[in-house]
Amino acid sequence: ALKPGFDVAYLSQFDAIAEHSHMSNATANGHDKVLLSWYLDGTLKLRGFFFAEQEDAESYQLFSTKRTASVTGFGLKHGQLYRFVEDGAGSYELVTLVSPLGSPLDAFFNRVTLHSLMYLPKSSPDAPQLAEAIALVPPDGPKSYQSILPDSRVLQRLSGNLLLADWHPLVDKLRREDRPMHFYAKAADVPGVVLPADAPGAKVGPPAGAIRLSGVLRLDGIAPADRRTVIERKNLVKVTAPPGMGAYAAAIPISGSGEVTTPCWIQIRARVLVGRVGFGVFNKLSRDFLTEPPLLDKSDAPQDVYIALPSLQGADELIVRSADDDIRSQVILEDVAVWVRKEDWKRDRKKLAELK
């Protein structure tokens, strides 16, 4: 999801910008803007695409801020790889539309050679779900789009040729030259991540005798990170997050990032009432997260989550995030704090005292 204050001019620095169908409608910037929004308004131009055969989430489109000399794309069908090359005299047509989901669009897809779609943000909860649909229409295919899809809007039409392509040389090259990707067997093995104390295989939180620094994080400093967030402050703080996987809900400023230069643990005591939530330590300069712990599901009792960091350097905010696409997650925050080892407290007591 594009973050608040994002400048679309930044995209001109890239040869191509990719978007795929999974979470293409997720937004956390408060303006319901996603990457596809700039294709819809003409800011971004289609550069290429790939249509997967087995898994829709593997399909993607490539965009750039400048019109490419020729749109080129690939697609799989029945195990055969095809290559589309833009050509004004070509017999195939590549069309992209904005269309509501439903049987007319399904019937249209049944008559084209290759196709894919990406969801767009809803203008309101009751609004119909719109999608950006892209299809390769054969010479004898349906091209009277307004008559067969009366509620759609044509974004782009261009002609080209569809050629057979051989995927074997590409795969052979990847198998020869690509480095293997290794995955951690358990989340608890990932550096910087500490699971809740009662989670299977979880690492422990701060060591015995650790010193609590209550002044680093203060719940009374929490602020909404999205206009749709609701924060209720009674005995405890309840946050109602906007829907959307990873959507920002609220931010708690982190103090003393320059003073806590030794290993530390951020503790969050929280109880999820609805949906799922997560927490991340955010750096404003890089506009990215230093580390993020596992997500928390709905529970009847509060859970303690610990985020282990080598220091607080670069830690500017603790972000509360939604982890559910379709509903407004709710979480009660009971406590937040930072812990340091006893020996580090003794050595750095002079500069840490104000944070206690």
Side-chain angles (χ1 to χ4, degrees):
L2 296 171
K3 300 173 183 177
F6 180 81
D7 185 354
V8 68
Y10 176 68
L11 300 179
S12 64
Q13 305 298 314
F14 298 92
D15 294 331
I17 305 99
E19 178 64 295
H20 60 106
S21 58
H22 178 60
M23 291 180 62
S24 61
N25 60 337
T27 174
N29 52 40
H31 303 289
D32 295 328
K33 286 281 190 178
V34 294
L35 190 64
L36 288 174
S37 301
W38 286 293
Y39 176 47
L40 270 58
D41 69 14
T43 303
L44 293 179
K45 321 297 181 186
L46 184 65
R47 183 182 180 91
F49 59 84
F50 173 71
F51 297 150
E53 181 173 22
Q54 299 294 335
E55 178 55 61
D56 288 342
E58 295 176 356
S59 298
Y60 60 84
Q61 296 172 37
L62 298 173
F63 302 97
S64 59
T65 55
K66 296 181 180 179
R67 175 74 163 90
T68 185
S70 175
V71 174
T72 302
F74 294 84
L76 275 170
K77 189 169 185 178
H78 305 312
Q80 173 62 56
L81 182 65
Y82 294 89
R83 180 170 181 251
F84 172 84
V85 180
E86 182 181 356
D87 183 341
S91 58
Y92 278 77
E93 183 166 277
L94 180 71
V95 61
T96 55
L97 313 100
V98 173
S99 175
L101 302 181
S103 54
L105 185 61
D106 295 337
F108 170 68
F109 281 161
N110 287 333
R111 299 175 61 190
V112 302
T113 305
L114 295 164
H115 70 271
S116 179
L117 64 79
M118 298 189 190
Y119 296 112
L120 298 171
K122 286 187 175 184
S123 56
S124 69
D126 299 327
Q129 178 63 66
L130 297 178
E132 181 252 25
I134 180 169
L136 273 172
V137 185
D140 59 348
K143 297 182 181 178
S144 300
Y145 306 118
Q146 293 304 128
S147 61
I148 59 178
L149 296 168
D151 296 323
S152 69
R153 173 168 66 94
V154 176
L155 294 173
Q156 185 174 12
R157 300 173 70 168
L158 54 89
S159 300
N161 294 309
L162 194 63
L163 311 171
L164 295 178
D166 187 1
W167 55 264
H168 293 88
L170 173 62
V171 173
D172 290 343
K173 182 176 185 294
L174 292 175
R175 287 174 174 167
R176 285 194 314 269
E177 300 177 5
D178 272 19
R179 293 180 298 174
M181 184 180 296
H182 299 285
F183 295 92
Y184 292 100
K186 303 186 297 296
D189 294 333
V190 180
V193 170
V194 180
L195 303 180
D198 59 351
K203 300 173 185 176
V204 297
I211 303 299
R212 176 188 170 103
L213 303 179
S214 300
V216 177
L217 286 163
R218 297 179 59 90
L219 277 176
D220 57 10
I222 193 169
D226 187 286
R227 60 182 173 83
R228 297 167 295 175
T229 299
V230 177
I231 298 178
E232 301 173 55
R233 307 168 191 264
K234 295 181 181 178
N235 295 332
L236 300 171
V237 175
K238 183 169 79 172
V239 177
T240 302
M245 184 67 71
Y248 293 14
I252 305 173
I254 295 176
S255 303
S257 59
E259 285 74 28
V260 184
T261 57
T262 57
C264 58
W265 290 259
I266 293 178
Q267 177 193 7
I268 308 111
R269 178 166 293 172
R271 179 163 68 94
V272 177
L273 304 178
V274 179
R276 306 176 79 199
V277 299
F279 303 91
V281 180
F282 189 72
N283 175 262
K284 291 182 178 179
L285 181 62
S286 66
R287 302 195 65 79
D288 203 356
F289 289 91
L290 301 182
T291 184
E292 298 180 69
L295 305 176
L296 289 184
D297 291 295
K298 180 179 177 182
S299 63
D300 295 328
Q303 300 182 65
D304 284 321
V305 176
Y306 297 95
I307 306 175
L309 295 169
S311 74
L312 278 187
Q313 291 180 322
D316 296 317
E317 294 176 315
L318 179 67
I319 302 291
V320 183
R321 308 181 73 183
S322 170
D324 198 301
D325 275 333
D326 303 316
I327 63 175
R328 293 172 64 86
S329 298
Q330 287 186 336
V331 59
I332 290 179
L333 301 176
E334 295 198 0
D335 189 28
V336 288
V338 168
W339 297 79
V340 295
R341 296 178 302 192
K342 187 175 182 179
E343 57 268 31
D344 294 327
W345 163 259
K346 290 180 177 179
R347 185 179 62 250
D348 299 332
R349 184 168 185 165
K350 186 175 181 180
K351 64 179 182 180
L352 297 178
E354 292 186 2
L355 300 173
K356 195 172 187 299

